[in-house]
Amino acid sequence: MRRRALLAALPTALAGCSAVPTGPSTDAYPATPPNVFTTFAWDPDRSALVVEFTRGNRLTPENTALLAVTTVDDPDDRTVWVASADADDPGDPAAEFPLSPGATLAHELPEPARCRLIWTAPDGDRSRAVDYWDPERDPASGER
Amino acid sequence: MNRRRFLVGAGAAAAATAGYAGVRVGDRRPYDPDPPTGETPRERIVAAAAHRFAADHRVVSRAEIRRDWTGEAPYALGVHRQWYEHSRRRHLHAFTALDAPLFERVTTDEAPSAEFLSPHGNLPAVLHYNRAFGAASLPLTYVLHVTDGRLLYDFDAPTPPAGANADEIRVTGEEGRSGVGLRHADDDPAFREYVRPHRAAWERVRDDGDTVTYRVAGPDAYAQVVPLALTAVRGFADPFVEVTLDRETGRLRRVVDHRDVLVDGRAAGGGSDGAAPDADGEAGGDAQRDGGGPSRRLTYRIETAFDGYGTARAPRPSGDVGADVETRVKGFLMDLFTY
């Protein structure tokens, strides 16, 4: 069993193996996701949650594969804000890169519901909720 | 070929192979990263921040709470000591939480985002400060060592003395993990920058001959410069950042992060009545949380010093290593094949 495990590990260990040492590289910079700060407001006339990108880093394909608002109870219900050509499921983005503070997005809903703003890393391996909106907890659920 | 010549040749080949393997595992190699350069202050600062990802160096980051709602501020929150030896593909971290009155007022059950009250925006720090919430006593030290094929850690390590060198970091009851896919450069969960790429303009505020110091202030610029993912920041009061560069080398010498921010009032144990910030949260800027919910003002002072460029070492911490044979072999192979 151990022999099998070790043999199975060899291809991965050998991947990228080189006789020549790697040199100094700063390619891993930056290591952290971009900062994205937003505000939410419910617009009853449009029956939409309006998200404003208020502060943070400019989003580009180099730091973002996808930014989308999703409804918590229905993850298939999403509005893609921006998506890179490398994104797995880019949908129909509402805007193009670069995305800068000041931009807004409307996520249409039949009624106010909990939503998340989801950011996905350029390599597609990581995603995180950068902000959330809960109409029951958040006073901003009032009219815009 | 007679037998003697064959044996001499085979012995020489074996010695050469073993030596080469030793060099690879020890990551002995030529290593000379280019110094950071740039035309504008912003370019020089970003280049200096990126240079840390290639240059051997030491970092000591001290976090203090200057303002909170416990009535005990100011107090020293913690220290993060870091040694980066990129030239030998290994890093060493020691997080120490010194005091935590902030966390004694709230539990993560009643305020889920309280777990993000860590001053450092990386997962090991967040987990460490979560453990500090419920620690029987403080200080609490978390040691982490990362190299190709191996990640060692101890959640409750001996607290290093003030001014400790890397070879004074110890572990007890150590736990370890090895992985064939683990590479130091990509898989150090605690390695992060202090200055993100940004578009803010810097103002020169001090020139001390050997060093020059720049500052950005205000929410818009601050929110571009400082990594804030995995933090509890929901809005801003009056933050600023100062970066000191070595005039000759262009390298980072010091970063002062005056993180004067608003955090979720629920995370802060501040109730959920939706009221505007109290007397401790009356600052200008975002008087309410971005999004409109209750918020509390919290002011960290995070001062980080960088030195030991080109000389810092990151040895494995002393102490018993608990990894099994299979884990050791996998880690060795990964280290052998990664050069």
Side-chain angles (χ1 to χ4, degrees):
Chain A
M1 188 62 192
R2 282 184 177 176
R3 185 186 304 168
R4 188 181 304 168
L6 287 175
L7 288 174
L10 277 177
T12 309
L14 285 168
C17 180
S18 168
V20 181
T22 53
S25 169
T26 60
D27 290 348
Y29 174 83
T32 58
N35 297 328
V36 178
F37 291 93
T38 57
T39 58
F40 295 97
W42 177 252
D43 184 341
D45 295 336
R46 300 166 67 184
S47 189
L49 178 65
V50 178
V51 188
E52 181 178 1
F53 181 11
T54 53
R55 292 193 176 97
N57 296 115
R58 199 169 72 133
L59 303 186
T60 67
E62 286 71 43
N63 61 25
T64 301
L66 188 112
L67 186 71
V69 179
T70 63
T71 305
V72 172
D73 295 331
D74 182 9
D76 291 335
D77 180 25
R78 64 167 193 168
T79 302
V80 177
W81 203 338
V82 285
S84 74
D86 297 330
D88 282 343
D89 183 11
D92 184 16
E96 295 182 350
F97 288 113
L99 191 72
S100 301
T104 60
L105 175 75
H107 177 56
E108 294 183 355
L109 292 163
E111 57 188 16
R114 290 183 300 153
C115 293
R116 290 195 181 103
L117 180 63
I118 307 291
W119 168 87
T120 303
D123 59 11
D125 286 349
R126 293 169 294 140
S127 63
R128 57 180 288 266
V130 295
D131 212 341
Y132 63 92
W133 181 68
D134 184 341
E136 293 182 3
R137 289 181 56 179
D138 198 331
S141 61
E143 294 183 6
R144 184 179 171 80
Chain B
M1 180 185 297
N2 61 33
R3 184 178 178 186
R4 184 177 176 185
R5 288 179 61 187
F6 172 77
L7 289 175
V8 169
T17 301
Y20 178 59
V23 167
R24 289 184 68 105
V25 170
D27 290 307
R28 303 289 184 180
R29 55 194 176 140
Y31 198 85
D32 187 18
D34 294 331
T37 59
E39 294 294 321
T40 65
R42 179 176 63 83
E43 290 175 356
R44 287 196 291 275
I45 288 167
V46 170
H51 181 68
R52 291 188 50 241
F53 283 67
D56 295 350
H57 66 290
R58 183 181 73 154
V59 184
V60 179
S61 187
R62 301 181 187 280
E64 179 182 305
I65 296 289
R66 289 280 176 93
R67 178 201 301 253
D68 64 10
W69 45 89
T70 66
E72 299 187 40
Y75 55 90
L77 181 64
V79 183
H80 181 193
R81 298 178 175 87
Q82 307 156 72
W83 291 266
Y84 294 103
E85 196 175 359
H86 298 286
S87 63
R88 295 190 63 188
R89 304 178 65 86
R90 56 187 188 175
H91 305 164
L92 174 62
H93 302 265
F95 292 92
T96 298
L98 298 169
D99 204 353
L102 193 61
F103 306 131
E104 292 168 358
R105 310 297 174 91
V106 63
T107 69
T108 51
D109 288 341
E110 60 194 26
S113 52
E115 63 198 44
F116 297 112
L117 285 171
S118 160
H120 310 294
N122 60 72
L123 194 56
V126 170
L127 296 174
H128 171 65
Y129 278 93
N130 265 273
R131 286 188 290 274
F133 289 179
S137 64
L138 294 175
L140 179 71
T141 294
Y142 167 35
V143 168
L144 172 68
H145 186 258
V146 185
T147 188
D148 291 328
R150 189 159 220 179
L151 190 147
L152 303 175
Y153 51 90
D154 183 354
F155 294 135
D156 191 5
T159 294
N165 295 316
D167 55 12
E168 295 178 81
I169 303 301
R170 295 190 297 122
V171 293
T172 56
E174 177 186 9
E175 298 179 59
R177 178 172 75 82
S178 295
V180 290
L182 186 65
R183 289 183 168 85
H184 95 291
D186 305 321
D187 295 304
D188 179 351
F191 187 25
R192 56 182 277 278
E193 65 276 1
Y194 290 82
V195 175
R196 282 191 50 78
H198 57 273
R199 301 168 71 82
W202 295 79
E203 174 193 7
R204 187 164 71 178
V205 291
R206 277 191 300 280
D207 190 337
D208 297 334
D210 292 342
T211 63
V212 58
T213 299
Y214 301 93
R215 170 193 279 225
V216 294
D220 289 341
Y222 182 88
Q224 294 182 48
V225 173
V226 176
L228 294 171
L230 294 179
T231 68
V233 175
R234 304 289 294 163
F236 301 87
D238 192 17
F240 68 83
V241 188
E242 287 186 357
V243 170
T244 300
L245 300 182
D246 187 296
R247 180 180 292 282
E248 181 180 342
T249 65
R251 289 166 164 160
L252 273 182
R253 293 276 294 271
R254 191 163 182 259
V255 172
V256 175
D257 176 358
H258 187 75
R259 190 174 300 175
D260 189 7
V261 295
L262 305 178
V263 298
D264 190 324
R266 292 171 287 260
S272 56
D273 56 4
D278 60 13
D280 283 336
E282 83 293 358
D286 300 334
Q288 287 260 357
R289 164 190 145 185
D290 284 343
S295 57
R296 288 283 184 116
R297 186 172 176 181
L298 178 61
T299 307
Y300 299 90
R301 179 82 164 199
I302 305 166
E303 299 193 358
T304 305
F306 307 83
D307 61 9
Y309 284 102
T311 59
R313 298 292 172 257
R316 180 192 297 179
S318 58
D320 293 334
V321 178
D324 59 27
V325 173
E326 183 177 335
T327 298
R328 288 168 187 257
V329 171
K330 284 182 177 177
F332 173 79
L333 289 175
M334 186 66 206
D335 206 2
L336 177 64
F337 293 132
T338 308
Y339 193 25

